[in-house]
Amino acid sequence: MKLAIELSEDQAHRLREGADRLGVEPEQLALAAVMDLIAAQGPDFDSAASRVLEKNRELYRRLA
């Protein structure tokens, strides 16, 4: 699966800085973060994901 995300300038800058500190490409750091999030799924994750999805429902609708 290939996934594209859009980051703000600040988010992209922070991702690049973090990747530079770790000596990896920004894409590798983003993938590692996603993999960590997926591995940590449980009741807390489900609750947090539901809150985020509900909070941003209108934004997601407009982006679709």
Side-chain angles (χ1 to χ4, degrees):
M1 170 188 219
K2 189 168 192 135
L3 179 67
I5 59 171
E6 191 167 328
L7 300 175
S8 69
E9 286 296 320
D10 182 57
Q11 291 167 327
H13 178 74
R14 290 171 41 204
L15 178 62
R16 282 191 299 274
E17 283 182 337
D20 287 346
R21 276 194 313 275
L22 296 170
V24 298
E25 294 296 318
E27 295 83 0
Q28 292 172 305
L29 180 56
L31 177 59
V34 169
M35 296 303 294
D36 188 47
L37 181 64
I38 290 170
Q41 283 187 15
D44 291 339
F45 172 84
D46 294 341
S47 177
S50 293
R51 279 195 312 274
V52 169
L53 290 172
E54 183 61 36
K55 176 182 171 189
N56 295 311
R57 182 180 307 278
E58 178 62 20
L59 173 62
Y60 299 144
R61 186 192 64 76
R62 282 189 257 154
L63 289 173

